[in-house]
Amino acid sequence: MVDFDALKAAVIKGKRDDVVAIVNAAIAEKADVNELLDKGMIPAMREIGDKFSRNEAYVPELLIAARAMQSGLALLEPLITASGRKSKGKVAIGTVKGDLHDIGKNLVAIMIKGAGYDVVDLGVNCDVAKFEEGVAQGATIVACSSLLTTTMTYMKDVVAAFKGKGVKVIIGGAPITQAYCDEIGADGYSEDANGAVKLVDQLLA
Ligand code: B1M
């Protein structure tokens, strides 16, 4: 049985080796990948963020927690994306200009890949020109992630850049809401990675 509390604690403390050991053991016993994410790893990142807000944790602690989280995600990725699949379309994804947070973006990319789409991962700090590179590679959906209230405003520029060009722009990230999506005229918003897959399914149906 997976000890979700131990997994959560290991991510919060940035104990990469412990995260890897717990995730590997969970994989060996065929644990549910979504449960590992939803009951262990994602709440851990939320908790370290709350500690940061209360000045009980600082940037270095966020960084080591993020590294531990990424190590666990790397182990889960092949399970999420496994399946002999024919591509259903192409999505370009990136974290917007000024923003270096990539864990949520990576998770969304893995889930979209797992649902049978090709994904061009443009990384972090993406300006409009970077998103255009993804479109030049055949993406018909641009997915923007932002974790900062100071960088989410750049999504408006991305939406404006692709208006009327046959490319849909979808947005997400902790500070984003449906109201913000409506305000900037984006083609869709989702709160989490599973919702992002549903959005892509709808837009490419
Ligand atoms: Co930063 N950080 N951080 N940080 N960090 C937050 C976002 C913050 C909320 C922490 C806090 O104060 N409680 C706060 C933002 C406050 C604000 O804007 N109002 C903050 C801050 C202030 C900062 C710095 C400015 C700190 C500083 O330097 N003083 C700095 C900014 C750097 C920069 O980007 N320019 C900074 C730096 C960092 C680290 C580098 C140390 C590290 C990031 C490492 C990395 O990503 N490789 C980090 C981390 C780890 C966090 C927290 C703790 C965790 C983020 C995370 O990975 N969550 C975060 C606190 C929090 O979020 N509660 C925080 C887990 C991840 C799975 O969730 O990314 O939300 P999330 O993704 C979800 C959904 O949002 C959604 O699906 C995902 C899965 O369900 N989603 C999408 C995301 N993208 C989507 C795209 C879609 C659809 C859905 O497309 C359609």
Side-chain angles (χ1 to χ4, degrees):
M1 265 255 312
V2 183
D3 185 342
F4 295 110
D5 290 339
L7 177 57
K8 189 174 159 193
V11 173
I12 291 172
K13 290 184 191 143
K15 298 202 166 191
R16 187 160 34 174
D17 292 348
D18 290 359
V19 172
V20 167
I22 296 170
V23 171
N24 270 331
I27 291 172
E29 66 180 59
K30 303 200 184 324
D32 184 331
V33 172
N34 287 321
E35 280 197 345
L36 291 175
L37 290 168
D38 294 340
K39 294 188 180 171
M41 295 162 72
I42 293 178
M45 296 312 290
R46 206 170 300 131
E47 194 165 318
I48 186 81
D50 291 345
K51 285 183 178 217
F52 179 76
S53 301
R54 298 192 300 266
N55 289 327
E56 290 166 14
Y58 300 93
V59 172
E61 279 122 311
L62 292 192
L63 264 180
I64 57 164
R67 267 194 229 129
M69 172 84 175
Q70 301 272 30
S71 303
L73 265 188
L75 296 172
L76 295 179
E77 176 166 7
L79 299 185
I80 299 171
T81 57
S83 67
R85 64 193 179 84
K86 194 164 157 255
S87 177
K88 300 197 296 191
K90 197 177 266 189
V91 177
I93 187 165
T95 304
V96 297
K97 189 173 152 188
D99 201 324
L100 304 176
H101 294 85
D102 68 354
I103 295 174
K105 183 267 295 167
N106 293 345
L107 196 51
V108 172
I110 291 170
M111 294 290 190
I112 293 175
K113 252 191 246 171
Y117 298 94
D118 284 329
V119 173
V120 185
D121 190 339
L122 302 165
V124 295
N125 196 23
C126 296
D127 59 9
V128 166
K130 193 80 196 167
F131 285 111
E132 280 170 349
E133 282 174 27
V135 171
Q137 289 178 50
T140 53
I141 292 189
V142 162
C144 300
S145 178
S146 162
L147 268 276
L148 297 172
T149 46
T150 48
T151 60
M152 61 186 268
T153 49
Y154 190 72
M155 289 175 162
K156 194 173 176 183
D157 297 38
V158 181
V159 169
F162 290 107
K163 264 285 169 275
K165 293 190 179 161
V167 174
K168 305 280 186 199
V169 178
I170 61 174
I171 61 173
I176 312 301
T177 59
Q178 183 62 50
Y180 184 66
C181 173
D182 296 341
E183 181 189 324
I184 67 171
D187 296 291
Y189 153 75
S190 88
E191 194 185 355
D192 56 26
N194 288 326
V197 171
K198 285 188 198 136
L199 259 184
V200 171
D201 282 341
Q202 281 161 17
L203 291 170
L204 292 182

